[in-house]
Amino acid sequence: MTIVKRLSPASFLLPILLAVCCPVSSTAADGKDSRPPPEPRAYRSATACASCHPEIYKSWKSSRHATSFTDPVFQLPYDRIRRSHPRKAVICEQCHNPGRFLLPPNAPLAAIFAQEGVTCDFCHSIESVRLEGPFPRYHASPGVMRGPRGGEPGKRVHATTFSGLHVTSELCGGCHEFRNEFGILVLGTYSEWAGSFYRGEGIHCQFCHLPQIFDAKFMASKQKKGPLDHAMSEGRKRERLAKAIPMRAVLRVSENEAKLTVTLKNETVGHKTPSGIPTSRLRLVSTLYDAEGKVLGRKEEVFEQVVGDGAGKPLEKPELIFTAAREVLKDNRLGPKETRRIEQAFPLGGAKAAKAEVALLYEEPLTDISLRMREIDLPVSSVVVPAKAGNSALRAALIAIVAILLLLAAVVYVRRKGR
Ligand code: HEC
Ligand code: HEC
Ligand code: HEC
Ligand code: HEC
Ligand code: HEC
């Protein structure tokens, strides 16, 4: 009774509700069914997809897309801006709660979609995207699932259609790129990618962030590939980060100085690292020890983007980063495929340096410090390098000897070939 009463003022919502509660009843999946598949012309909750796409549902559920609206890390700044500048708060929802712009605000599904953040039916209903200009940037229409394959006759339980957009970075670019009203590029992941080697090679976001799940079941049946992993967790995995940003170090010690040279490379991150919201950063920490393990010195270098309020003051609160940034104060992040050499000099003052330890950390500082609910420092990798004598005359002599030997070898080779 209460349900009917609540619905009566807006009875047009009934089909939507039905679609949520009673997802697509399955038609024959035996390959002989030639009837057109049912086409529910309404958006559906992610829970309606779970029964048939369980692995994808599970991985999406663990993603930050699924919690993009409900996560307190978002809710706190969102709440602050809603109270101070309600008009500006609307922009946050464009990306963190995209359902709000597809559904009437009082539709029951609107509340469910908000709980689900960047949800399945939003992404798979997208028809087109505008990368710049005013919001909303996405044009979507429900019912037909757009994806990388297109119709698979006989298996269709909902209509599907091939969408070229879904295999390109443009699909992601509508949300992973944002320039604020003062012209500051707050999120530049899409354009960083678009200006990189990866675009030329046709390596889109999906290639790295939506990898195939290698399920034993699929391996056994000769069909190598399982469904796609929707967790988008590339940035959370330590082993992958260590491979993505390899690090080398050399320590040279002379009479009164130790010189540490660290080489970092952005090997396989398809954009700057770190990218996205300017709160994450990479921290390089070097510590110099003597033979007894006593610390002789410590140095740090932080790779990050910092935006300011226009008067030189750095902004840290996410809502201000998005709405009030007027200048970029610092940006020393590593571009795609960039190699960076960092030289650090430690004065020794009589002490004897024996080794250095270099650690790379991936940090996502909590935007609201009171909430200790997220891992802050993710140690990416660390190396220990022994000291080498930094005698430059000796080194030059060695290099000369090696060069002469190589030259001799080349001469011998050319002569032999000539015969
Ligand atoms: C951020 C947008 C986004 C969200 C959210 C999303 N998907 Fe996807 N999904 C994609 C993209 C993009 C592809 C195609 C990737 C490719 O082929 O490279 C895809 C592929 C798929 C495929 C095809 C798999 C295959 O093996 O070819 C299915 C099925 C699917 N998604 C279902 C879901 C379900 C179910 C959910 C929610 C639990 C979901 N998706 C959430 C973007 C999304
Ligand atoms: C009754 C089972 C069932 C339900 C419920 C279901 N699907 Fe599917 N879906 C399938 C089957 C079967 C296929 C075709 C085989 C495949 O790709 O796995 C498919 C294919 C897809 C594709 C691939 C389309 C393409 O062209 O690449 C997408 C995307 C997709 N589904 C999304 C969803 C989303 C989003 C939901 C929830 C709103 C959902 N599905 C609910 C069974 C279902
Ligand atoms: C409707 C907007 C929207 C679309 C479309 C979208 N994203 Fe996102 N994405 C977000 C938001 C918002 C977050 C941040 C969620 C949070 O942390 O609260 C996010 C987070 C992520 C993260 C996790 C970042 C981290 O810090 O771990 C990755 C990776 C990602 N998205 C990749 C993609 C890819 C790849 C696509 C395209 C297939 C895509 N996104 C499409 C809005 C979107
Ligand atoms: C060649 C592989 C590759 C491609 C292509 C790629 N990424 Fe990434 N991405 C990574 C790796 C590795 C990380 C983890 C390192 C990091 O966070 O900097 C990452 C991290 C991220 C993050 C978390 C950012 C942060 O620093 O908190 C987001 C968001 C993201 N990618 C979105 C995208 C989008 C959107 C695209 C397409 C425009 C894309 N990625 C293309 C490999 C890739
Ligand atoms: C153009 C789309 C877009 C708009 C507009 C937007 N965001 Fe985001 N937001 C994102 C994406 C994408 C990420 C993830 C980037 C990353 O991980 O580096 C993100 C990340 C965040 C994070 C960090 C979340 C986490 O889990 O670490 C917070 C907090 C946040 N946004 C708050 C806001 C607030 C507040 C607003 C409105 C003033 C806003 N955003 C507007 C797309 C957007």
Side-chain angles (χ1 to χ4, degrees), residues 24-30 33 35-38 154-158:
V24 215
S25 55
S26 61
T27 40
D30 56 6
D33 184 7
R35 279 174 301 153
K155 273 182 147 190
R156 293 179 297 167
V157 227
H158 44 64

PDB file of all heavy atoms in Angstrom, residues 24-30 33 35-38 154-158:
ATOM      1  N   VAL A  24      15.779  -8.396 -16.686  1.00  0.00           N
ATOM      2  CA  VAL A  24      15.519  -9.208 -17.876  1.00  0.00           C
ATOM      3  C   VAL A  24      15.260 -10.676 -17.596  1.00  0.00           C
ATOM      4  O   VAL A  24      16.151 -11.392 -17.150  1.00  0.00           O
ATOM      5  CB  VAL A  24      16.779  -9.195 -18.801  1.00  0.00           C
ATOM      6  CG1 VAL A  24      16.354  -9.226 -20.240  1.00  0.00           C
ATOM      7  CG2 VAL A  24      17.713  -8.090 -18.455  1.00  0.00           C
ATOM      8  N   SER A  25      14.088 -11.125 -17.916  1.00  0.00           N
ATOM      9  CA  SER A  25      13.852 -12.560 -17.775  1.00  0.00           C
ATOM     10  C   SER A  25      14.564 -13.199 -18.959  1.00  0.00           C
ATOM     11  O   SER A  25      14.485 -12.721 -20.080  1.00  0.00           O
ATOM     12  CB  SER A  25      12.355 -12.846 -17.842  1.00  0.00           C
ATOM     13  OG  SER A  25      11.848 -12.315 -19.035  1.00  0.00           O
ATOM     14  N   SER A  26      15.273 -14.278 -18.696  1.00  0.00           N
ATOM     15  CA  SER A  26      16.121 -14.775 -19.777  1.00  0.00           C
ATOM     16  C   SER A  26      15.293 -15.468 -20.857  1.00  0.00           C
ATOM     17  O   SER A  26      14.394 -16.232 -20.577  1.00  0.00           O
ATOM     18  CB  SER A  26      17.172 -15.726 -19.212  1.00  0.00           C
ATOM     19  OG  SER A  26      16.523 -16.815 -18.618  1.00  0.00           O
ATOM     20  N   THR A  27      15.640 -15.181 -22.079  1.00  0.00           N
ATOM     21  CA  THR A  27      15.045 -15.891 -23.212  1.00  0.00           C
ATOM     22  C   THR A  27      15.946 -17.069 -23.511  1.00  0.00           C
ATOM     23  O   THR A  27      17.003 -17.208 -22.923  1.00  0.00           O
ATOM     24  CB  THR A  27      14.986 -14.986 -24.464  1.00  0.00           C
ATOM     25  OG1 THR A  27      16.190 -14.258 -24.513  1.00  0.00           O
ATOM     26  CG2 THR A  27      13.798 -14.081 -24.461  1.00  0.00           C
ATOM     27  N   ALA A  28      15.530 -17.861 -24.452  1.00  0.00           N
ATOM     28  CA  ALA A  28      16.331 -19.040 -24.762  1.00  0.00           C
ATOM     29  C   ALA A  28      17.736 -18.629 -25.152  1.00  0.00           C
ATOM     30  O   ALA A  28      17.936 -17.721 -25.939  1.00  0.00           O
ATOM     31  CB  ALA A  28      15.688 -19.804 -25.907  1.00  0.00           C
ATOM     32  N   ALA A  29      18.707 -19.295 -24.593  1.00  0.00           N
ATOM     33  CA  ALA A  29      20.092 -18.986 -24.936  1.00  0.00           C
ATOM     34  C   ALA A  29      20.678 -20.177 -25.674  1.00  0.00           C
ATOM     35  O   ALA A  29      21.849 -20.491 -25.560  1.00  0.00           O
ATOM     36  CB  ALA A  29      20.888 -18.678 -23.670  1.00  0.00           C
ATOM     37  N   ASP A  30      19.827 -20.878 -26.415  1.00  0.00           N
ATOM     38  CA  ASP A  30      20.258 -22.121 -27.052  1.00  0.00           C
ATOM     39  C   ASP A  30      20.766 -21.919 -28.474  1.00  0.00           C
ATOM     40  O   ASP A  30      21.116 -22.853 -29.168  1.00  0.00           O
ATOM     41  CB  ASP A  30      19.104 -23.127 -27.063  1.00  0.00           C
ATOM     42  CG  ASP A  30      17.865 -22.562 -27.743  1.00  0.00           C
ATOM     43  OD1 ASP A  30      17.959 -21.437 -28.305  1.00  0.00           O
ATOM     44  OD2 ASP A  30      16.813 -23.220 -27.704  1.00  0.00           O
ATOM     45  N   ASP A  33      17.078 -19.335 -31.033  1.00  0.00           N
ATOM     46  CA  ASP A  33      16.024 -18.346 -30.858  1.00  0.00           C
ATOM     47  C   ASP A  33      16.225 -17.171 -31.803  1.00  0.00           C
ATOM     48  O   ASP A  33      17.208 -16.457 -31.722  1.00  0.00           O
ATOM     49  CB  ASP A  33      16.055 -17.865 -29.407  1.00  0.00           C
ATOM     50  CG  ASP A  33      14.924 -16.905 -29.127  1.00  0.00           C
ATOM     51  OD1 ASP A  33      14.070 -16.735 -30.016  1.00  0.00           O
ATOM     52  OD2 ASP A  33      14.911 -16.343 -28.026  1.00  0.00           O
ATOM     53  N   ARG A  35      13.827 -14.829 -32.250  1.00  0.00           N
ATOM     54  CA  ARG A  35      13.003 -13.680 -31.872  1.00  0.00           C
ATOM     55  C   ARG A  35      13.908 -12.520 -31.478  1.00  0.00           C
ATOM     56  O   ARG A  35      15.001 -12.737 -30.965  1.00  0.00           O
ATOM     57  CB  ARG A  35      12.128 -14.045 -30.666  1.00  0.00           C
ATOM     58  CG  ARG A  35      10.894 -14.817 -31.045  1.00  0.00           C
ATOM     59  CD  ARG A  35      10.174 -15.257 -29.800  1.00  0.00           C
ATOM     60  NE  ARG A  35      11.047 -16.098 -28.963  1.00  0.00           N
ATOM     61  CZ  ARG A  35      10.926 -16.196 -27.650  1.00  0.00           C
ATOM     62  NH1 ARG A  35      10.003 -15.497 -27.008  1.00  0.00           N
ATOM     63  NH2 ARG A  35      11.708 -16.977 -26.963  1.00  0.00           N
ATOM     64  N   PRO A  36      13.450 -11.293 -31.718  1.00  0.00           N
ATOM     65  CA  PRO A  36      14.281 -10.170 -31.273  1.00  0.00           C
ATOM     66  C   PRO A  36      14.387 -10.190 -29.746  1.00  0.00           C
ATOM     67  O   PRO A  36      13.446 -10.583 -29.074  1.00  0.00           O
ATOM     68  CB  PRO A  36      13.512  -8.939 -31.759  1.00  0.00           C
ATOM     69  CG  PRO A  36      12.116  -9.412 -32.005  1.00  0.00           C
ATOM     70  CD  PRO A  36      12.202 -10.866 -32.348  1.00  0.00           C
ATOM     71  N   PRO A  37      15.537  -9.852 -29.226  1.00  0.00           N
ATOM     72  CA  PRO A  37      15.714  -9.884 -27.780  1.00  0.00           C
ATOM     73  C   PRO A  37      14.870  -8.813 -27.100  1.00  0.00           C
ATOM     74  O   PRO A  37      14.544  -7.802 -27.722  1.00  0.00           O
ATOM     75  CB  PRO A  37      17.194  -9.579 -27.599  1.00  0.00           C
ATOM     76  CG  PRO A  37      17.566  -8.819 -28.822  1.00  0.00           C
ATOM     77  CD  PRO A  37      16.703  -9.332 -29.926  1.00  0.00           C
ATOM     78  N   PRO A  38      14.540  -9.029 -25.846  1.00  0.00           N
ATOM     79  CA  PRO A  38      13.764  -8.026 -25.140  1.00  0.00           C
ATOM     80  C   PRO A  38      14.600  -6.758 -24.970  1.00  0.00           C
ATOM     81  O   PRO A  38      15.810  -6.841 -24.776  1.00  0.00           O
ATOM     82  CB  PRO A  38      13.487  -8.672 -23.781  1.00  0.00           C
ATOM     83  CG  PRO A  38      14.533  -9.717 -23.620  1.00  0.00           C
ATOM     84  CD  PRO A  38      14.892 -10.161 -24.992  1.00  0.00           C
ATOM     85  N   GLY A 154      21.620 -15.339 -30.831  1.00  0.00           N
ATOM     86  CA  GLY A 154      21.297 -16.534 -30.072  1.00  0.00           C
ATOM     87  C   GLY A 154      21.676 -16.428 -28.609  1.00  0.00           C
ATOM     88  O   GLY A 154      21.084 -17.055 -27.768  1.00  0.00           O
ATOM     89  N   LYS A 155      22.666 -15.620 -28.311  1.00  0.00           N
ATOM     90  CA  LYS A 155      23.102 -15.487 -26.927  1.00  0.00           C
ATOM     91  C   LYS A 155      22.499 -14.240 -26.300  1.00  0.00           C
ATOM     92  O   LYS A 155      22.690 -13.978 -25.123  1.00  0.00           O
ATOM     93  CB  LYS A 155      24.615 -15.360 -26.872  1.00  0.00           C
ATOM     94  CG  LYS A 155      25.336 -16.689 -26.829  1.00  0.00           C
ATOM     95  CD  LYS A 155      26.808 -16.377 -26.734  1.00  0.00           C
ATOM     96  CE  LYS A 155      27.562 -17.394 -25.927  1.00  0.00           C
ATOM     97  NZ  LYS A 155      28.918 -16.940 -25.669  1.00  0.00           N
ATOM     98  N   ARG A 156      21.806 -13.487 -27.122  1.00  0.00           N
ATOM     99  CA  ARG A 156      21.412 -12.170 -26.647  1.00  0.00           C
ATOM    100  C   ARG A 156      20.291 -12.229 -25.616  1.00  0.00           C
ATOM    101  O   ARG A 156      19.239 -12.789 -25.870  1.00  0.00           O
ATOM    102  CB  ARG A 156      21.002 -11.288 -27.820  1.00  0.00           C
ATOM    103  CG  ARG A 156      22.195 -10.989 -28.707  1.00  0.00           C
ATOM    104  CD  ARG A 156      21.822 -10.143 -29.875  1.00  0.00           C
ATOM    105  NE  ARG A 156      20.870 -10.826 -30.740  1.00  0.00           N
ATOM    106  CZ  ARG A 156      20.194 -10.206 -31.704  1.00  0.00           C
ATOM    107  NH1 ARG A 156      20.341  -8.930 -31.890  1.00  0.00           N
ATOM    108  NH2 ARG A 156      19.365 -10.883 -32.462  1.00  0.00           N
ATOM    109  N   VAL A 157      20.575 -11.658 -24.485  1.00  0.00           N
ATOM    110  CA  VAL A 157      19.586 -11.642 -23.428  1.00  0.00           C
ATOM    111  C   VAL A 157      19.076 -10.219 -23.250  1.00  0.00           C
ATOM    112  O   VAL A 157      18.032  -9.986 -22.697  1.00  0.00           O
ATOM    113  CB  VAL A 157      20.186 -12.126 -22.107  1.00  0.00           C
ATOM    114  CG1 VAL A 157      19.257 -13.123 -21.480  1.00  0.00           C
ATOM    115  CG2 VAL A 157      21.540 -12.754 -22.333  1.00  0.00           C
ATOM    116  N   HIS A 158      19.875  -9.328 -23.692  1.00  0.00           N
ATOM    117  CA  HIS A 158      19.452  -7.947 -23.832  1.00  0.00           C
ATOM    118  C   HIS A 158      20.033  -7.557 -25.171  1.00  0.00           C
ATOM    119  O   HIS A 158      20.975  -8.195 -25.645  1.00  0.00           O
ATOM    120  CB  HIS A 158      19.999  -7.063 -22.705  1.00  0.00           C
ATOM    121  CG  HIS A 158      21.444  -7.321 -22.397  1.00  0.00           C
ATOM    122  ND1 HIS A 158      22.445  -7.081 -23.313  1.00  0.00           N
ATOM    123  CD2 HIS A 158      22.047  -7.842 -21.308  1.00  0.00           C
ATOM    124  CE1 HIS A 158      23.597  -7.430 -22.789  1.00  0.00           C
ATOM    125  NE2 HIS A 158      23.393  -7.909 -21.581  1.00  0.00           N
TER     126      HIS A 158
END
